[in-house]
Every structure is written in structure tokens, then in C-alpha cells.
Amino acid sequence: MQAHQRMLDPTPNGLHSDESPLLQAIGLTKHYGDFLANDSIDIDIWPKQIHALLGENGAGKSTLVKAIYGLIQPSAGEIRWQGTPIVLSGPSEARSRGIGMVFQHFSLFDNLNVAENVALGLDRTESFKDMSARLEQVSKTYGLPLDPRREVWQLSVGERQRIEIVRALMQDPKFLILDEPTAVLTPQEADQLFIVLERLKAEGRAILYISHKLAEVKRLCDTATILRGGKKVETCNPRLETAASLARMMVGSEIKEVKAAAADRKTTVPRLVVNDLSLTPSEAHGVRLEHISFELKGGEILGIAGVAGNGQDELFAALSGERLSQDPGTVVIEGIAAGHLSITQRRKLGAAFVPEERLGHGTVPRMKLSENALLTGHAASGMVHHGFIDTAATLETVDRATETFDVRKAKRDPEAASLSGGNLQKFIVGREILRNPAVLVVCQPTWGVDAGAAAVIRQALLDLATAGAAVLVTSQDLDELAEIADRIAVMFHGRLSAPLATSEATREKLGLLMGGSRLEPKEAAHAVGT
Amino acid sequence: MQLVLEKRAERSNTIALVSPLVAIGLTIATMIILFAILGKNPLLALHAYFIAPLTDGYSLQEIAVKATPLVMIAIGLSLCYLANAWNIGAEGQFLIGAVAGSWIAVKTQGTDAGAWVLPTMLVLAAAAGALYALIPAICKVKFGASEILTSLMLVYVADLFLDYLVRGPWRDPHGFNFPTTAEFDPVATVPLLIEGGRLHLGSIIALLVVAAAAILLGRTIKGFEIRVVGAAPRAARFGGFNADQLVVLTFAISGALAGLAGIIEVAGPVGHLQPGISPGYGFTAIIVAFLGRLNPLGILIAGLLLALTFIGGEQAQIAMKIPLDVTKVFQGILLFYVLACDSFILYRFRLVFPNRQVARGTH
């Protein structure tokens, strides 16, 4: 096996300028309690290469990268830098050796400006003025435009990512790690990022690119290492693989195709109508919702695309009733003005909601599943009689959700926090679908969920729509929306575009809308006709 | 080698049960050292504290009498704490309840008032305690004022108000200028359970309160709301539970129970209103609530244990001249260890041996 993998170790294009790799991990292992997050992983990083690290959530990508960046100490194994074994005491030592990292979740201070944020992240002492000048120069050189004097809260997610990249580049790293950099970008922004990465590669730097978007990896990367369940499955040249073969290596089995039933699905009466909804944010730096209107019929799935932080959270709060609107007519559920109604009253009208955050929003992490069934089921599912809880009824919901949606768990009624992301999400979606809702509003239904669970959830949403419910799906994953939605609208700066029929909604059009451009009136008018 | 504190996948029910016992054990160990430093024989001191009170009937009754207010107050506080509302002012609510109930007793003094007097006193005391607790609750909900500070400061207001009444308008004219009201009439007194003993009806009320709280928290949707709001505020909003309303509700219940405990203490064991009716019940009840895991049955047991330290402390003072303040030290150490041991319900220690090969690597 070992020999087999060595043979497969690619030296594509014969580009290796050095005899030895820039960085090597050999037999890298990391335990968390009894859990083996990384099991004896070998990886070689060569200069002038973009190396993809592929794997599902929980495959061990983050753990591996954290060990390489000095954030955690491996339990066993060694890391070699330019051929010499090293022990990294922390990220600052990694940075001083020439390893840079751009995290998926940014560590920026909203109330500070760009230059101040960059200064805070740098180790070296140089005057603020010199640093600002260098910042402008680096951002200009690499085509990453930034205004050093703007405060972070005013910037888009793409611009925030640019700060992180520039901050890493200012230390002139030999090796740059990027964790899911395109997860928050529009397709056009992603294209711009790829140009920057190609240029860094041409300069002789090594890049480790963490992703689960296979098309991107095939297009951009020279080598791919695939992890599954903490183990290395394969190192290969992604350009010689198909998306399906890469997916198979990631998942370990074939993924069930989601069967769309668009043909025999009939749309009926409007079940969720939003009329000119405007709402000032309740939190500082929140997004103001402006004049949002749409109509959603029974049997229909409307997708809402958009870069995170453009008002999706605020829209969810307004639709669910976590935030109330002064004007009852702004949200109409099943023909009843509901803008002023509480979330419980809206549930009684037949609406159901699935928020983005599973732990702490969709469920109480340290409570049992039966209690979490009660969390949303108390309103209208016969779980409460005269103020007393019917424990048998709550347990029955757990059992039904478990059976219908294949929720895997250690015992009948464990704590929510003990389930894996995919299984908990199946439970949460199942809990709502079992109530037979007329309207389902769901945010990021498959975020951080393994491919198998994602397929189950998407199928469940399609089936629910086929059964006559109106389904609203907010997602940043354009492929997901293309797969299940009938129409797609885009949120940008608290405004919602006119929905496009999914067949008309090309990545280019959606990308433009996600970046704030308007489509030509001709195209928009065409879309309304669906 | 490294000692690492890591999160458990699921809370450990075993540790949840064992933790208070370990805390008690550690407290006793610490007390042994403390007694030794004070120059007292630790074994005799522990005997005076924990064994002697359990050996005679009078002390056993006295333990129940002391535990009654502790348990009633702690039950109310546990509801607040479960809902993430930090009522520190139960002592003040206790005093205000005592004052409000005593008002009826003082006004009907020497008249031929009937059996309605005591029930009215109890209801009025509970209402007054609830209203007094609503001041910090409403300040929190309406203005965002920290309920910890406001509820605590209102303790001193209540204390001084009581002081003023018993030194001024309500002072017993035949009381030799002592700051106290006259002894309450029999109709204004909590009846004894055993003729000539100390045990009174209040202990039965405390048991009923424990049972009611157990049902509220374990079986009703309101109890569920209280637990969710404390455990995950965002999930509570998603569930449709109104956090502000629950802060007000739990403060009101907690104030009512403290007020009720106050009048039961005054109209029971004490017999009249005077300063110093509480040896810090409202504060000790905080320890009782946490020692009892914010669980009604646990609170009942913890209340009895803390009552034991009060009685034992008195006996140790009489028998061995150990200062009464040592009792408070004991209670403080106990709370410290309880909170420390509780960490192990959600976390555990693990010894980590870093890989030798890595450790030898050159820099």
C-alpha cells in the first residue's frame, strides 16, 4: 500500500525545482480524546504547485492544516520543512519560517480599518506608516484592491477575504494555506482569486488549497490529496480524474442521485407572500432589509442565493417571526397577514422553519432530541396538553424522524450536541417536515453536512414541494439551488432581485447579481414571466 | 507529559451525581486543615459539626426548622438561575415578605381577629416578596440594568426599612425599648407540628414547594421554557419563548417564595418581627441552589446539609469555642468546590504524552 502510494505520488509537468519537497508531513497523527482526527497522514508539498486538500466535513482537513500551521501539536508523526524535521511552537513560528494561512472564518475587528487590522496581525515591528505603504503596494502588485482607511464593517465578504490574503502575503510566505476560500465568494470573485493564486504559483510559492468544490480543484490544482475519516485515501492528479471519481474517493461510495419531480409537480395557490418588507437591523452593523417582495406558491421551491451577510439572516428572522414587523401585511402565510404574529402563531398557521445554525439556534445543544422536538413542536403538534408535556409524543417524533430520515445516533434519545452535523441536520429538517408544513423556510440546508446526508435532505425538500408545500431555500451553494429550486433570486445589500427561472439562471447571471450588478431589463422581464 | 482539560461528547450523569459528594469530601479535608491551624482537634470539631446534631431529637427538629427557609428560597433561586436570571437579592425579598406579613399581625394585635389572619399574612408576604423581586426584573427587561447589582442593593434597602419599622412605628410599647414588635397573637403564628417541639407547618409547605417545582421543571412546558432560555437563548427565541417574560416570571416566583419563607420564619420560630431575623438565609440559599444542582430534590438534600452546618456551628461554638464565622467559611469553601467539581460534568482531564520522535526534532 505504502509503495503503491509512493508510485502514485505525482510529479506532474516535471515542475519540481528542488530535489526535496518544501514541506512534508510524515505519519502525522492527532487524537482528540478517543477520536482519531488524523491517522498517520503523509503529504508532500512542492514549490510552484497548487495542492488541493479534498475531503468531506470531518475528514480531518482542518486538523491536518492546523498541525502544519502550528496551531495544534500532533500526537505522533513529524513535519519536515525543507528537509529538516521541525516542531512548531505556534502560528508565529510557522509564519516566521514562511508558512502563511488564510482562514475560512476571518479574524478581523469590525470597528477597525483595514490598515489597523493588518497591523494587528503582523508579528514584525515596523512603523504604521511604512506598513500602510507596504500594504498598498502589495495589494496593488497582486491586483487585490483595498482602501487601507475603510473600516471593516463597511466591506463585503470578498473584500474582507482580500485583507486576510494581503495580510498573509505581506509576510512573503513560501507556502500559503487557504481554507475553503471560495465558499463566500461570487463566481466572478472566485475567478479573480484564481488569477492571484496562479500568479503566486508562478512566483515559486507552494499553495495548499482546501476545498470540496471538485470543479474548482480540477481547474486550478496540480495535485490533490484526498482524506476520508481521518485517513489519506489517495494522492492524485485531479486533472486526470473525473468529478465523479474524486467524489467517490471523498465519500467512499456512490452518492444517491436526487430525483427531481419537476414534471409532475403542480403549483397551486400562493402560500407565502412577502409584500414590500423593509426592516431596520436590530444589531449594530446588521443589514437593513429593503422593499423585499416575492410570492411563493404551493408545490414550488424558491432559492435565494447570495454571499453571506447580505441580509439572509435578517430575512429569516422576519419570515419566521423572531423579529416582528409593524405592518402585518408584509408577511402573508396561507392567506393570513402574519407580519405581527409570533413564531409560535406562524407555526400554528402551518409554517415551519430551519435556521442556518444547528447548535444553539435550531437545537439546544445539551438537551435531548426529544426535548429538541418539543422546541418547535410545542406549538401545534399535540405534544402539550393543558401545559403538561406529553413525553411519549416527543419521543415518537424522534423515532419517526430517525426512521424516515435515517438519523444515525448512539442511543434512542441522545443529546443534540452528540450527533454529527449531517445527522443532526437530518433530524432538524425531519422534525419540521414531519409536521406536514404548508410553508417551509430553510437556511443553508446542507451547510457542513456530508454528501450522503445532503442528498437525503435535498430529496426531502423536493418531496415536500411535490406534496404541495411552498419551500423557500436560502443557500450559498449555487449547485444546490440549481439542483432543487424552480426559481432563484439573489440577495444583495438587503435587497432581493427578481427571481429567475432556474433554467435561465446561469452562474454568470447569478454571479453578477451576487456582486450587486443589475441585469438588463430585458432579461429580468423575461424571468418574471415564469 | 501534559494535563489537558477536554470537552466530553455528552454530559456525564455519573459525575453529576458524584460531583457534590466529592465537593463535600474536599471541603471536609480543607476544614480539617483549617481546624488544625486554629489549634482545635479536627476530629472533635468535625464530630461537633456533623455528628452531634444528628444524635438528639431537638437538634434534628432544629435542622428541619433551619432548612425550611433555605429550601424554599433556593427553589425559587434555582428557577431564576436556570433561566439565566441572576437574583442575588433573595435576602431582601425574604425581609420584605416578613415585614408585609407582620403588618397584619401588628395591626390585628390584641383584637379578636379570626383564623383568616395567618393565611392572609402568608399571601401578603408572598405578594410583597414577588413585587419586591419585580423591581430588579423590570429594570433588567426595560432598561438593561444588571439584575445582580440591583437585586443585591435592594437587600440593604429592605434591611434598613425593617430596622426603621421595629425601632419606630411598630415597636412594642411594653418591650423595654428593644427594637422589636410585640409577640404575635396565636392566630398570627405558624402552628407547631409537635406539641412542645420546634417543627412547624412551614416545613410541610417547603416540601410542597419542592414537589411543585419538580413537577414544573420536569413535566410542564413552562418549566421547559425556563430551562431552554437559560441553556440556549437563541434557540429559545426560535422556539417562541419570550426571555423577558421568563425573567419576570422567575423573579416573581423566586421573590414570592423568599417572602413566604420570611413570614414563616417570623410567625414561626421567631414569633415577632425584629432585626436579625435571618442569619443570611437569602445568601446561603444561593449555595443550597447550586449544591443541589438546581434540581428540586437535590436542593432539599443540600438545604438539610447546610442547616446541619448552622446547627453544628452553634454547637462547635459552645463546646469548643470555634468562632461562628467558621461556618460561613465552611459554606464558602463548599460552594467553591461544588463549582469546581461541576466542570467535570462537561469536561474531563486527560494525560497527554507528546511523541518522543517529534520532541527530539531539531529546530
Side-chain angles (χ1 to χ4, degrees), chain A residues 378-428:
Chain A
H378 67 86
S381 300
M383 292 180 184
V384 179
H385 307 293
H386 308 293
F388 283 85
I389 299 164
D390 184 346
T391 314
T394 61
L395 268 173
E396 201 212 314
T397 303
V398 176
D399 291 343
R400 275 171 60 209
T402 303
E403 204 175 315
T404 319
F405 296 96
D406 185 30
V407 180
R408 312 227 176 116
K409 50 194 168 63
K411 51 184 179 185
R412 187 181 179 196
D413 195 15
E415 281 177 10
S418 72
L419 266 63
S420 74
N423 282 308
L424 185 59
Q425 187 72 358
K426 283 190 277 186
F427 169 76
I428 294 172

Side-chain angles (χ1 to χ4, degrees), chain B residues 4-197:
Chain B
V4 177
L5 194 63
E6 66 181 23
K7 209 163 187 169
R8 292 172 190 273
E10 187 154 349
R11 59 175 277 140
S12 162
N13 288 324
T14 324
I15 303 286
L17 288 174
V18 172
S19 151
L21 301 178
V22 174
I24 290 167
L26 288 170
T27 309
I28 289 174
T30 311
M31 290 307 285
I32 288 175
I33 297 168
L34 193 65
F35 288 135
I37 292 169
L38 287 171
K40 310 288 178 188
N41 181 332
L43 287 181
L44 288 180
L46 285 179
H47 183 268
Y49 256 91
F50 297 110
I51 311 292
L54 298 174
T55 51
D56 70 285
Y58 177 84
S59 294
L60 283 175
Q61 285 193 46
E62 198 62 23
I63 289 171
V65 168
K66 284 268 191 237
T68 297
L70 287 177
V71 169
M72 285 179 63
I73 299 169
I75 289 283
L77 290 181
S78 70
L79 297 180
C80 287
Y81 299 162
L82 282 171
N84 234 339
W86 298 99
N87 182 3
I88 307 297
E91 182 82 0
Q93 295 138 26
F94 177 93
L95 295 175
I96 285 296
V99 164
S102 299
W103 178 63
I104 307 270
V106 169
K107 290 300 160 195
T108 59
Q109 192 95 45
T111 64
D112 268 341
W116 59 269
V117 173
L118 185 66
T120 313
M121 284 165 67
L122 297 182
V123 170
L124 201 65
L131 284 174
Y132 203 58
L134 282 179
I135 299 171
I138 288 171
C139 285
K140 176 187 167 75
V141 171
K142 290 274 175 234
F143 312 112
S146 161
E147 76 277 23
I148 298 176
L149 288 178
T150 49
S151 65
L152 179 63
M153 291 196 289
L154 285 170
V155 171
Y156 307 108
V157 175
D159 199 19
L160 292 171
F161 181 55
L162 186 155
D163 218 49
Y164 158 75
L165 288 175
V166 292
R167 288 175 202 279
W170 290 3
R171 188 170 58 189
D172 178 10
H174 314 294
F176 308 103
N177 262 346
F178 279 109
T180 162
T181 66
E183 284 298 305
F184 290 177
D185 290 339
V187 286
T189 305
V190 177
L192 292 172
L193 293 179
I194 306 166
E195 199 62 42

Side-chain angles (χ1 to χ4, degrees), chain A residues 83-103:
Chain A
T84 324
I86 55 165
V87 175
L88 293 170
S89 59
S92 65
E93 195 188 332
R95 283 195 292 268
S96 69
R97 283 179 188 276
I99 304 174
M101 176 148 182
V102 176
F103 289 91

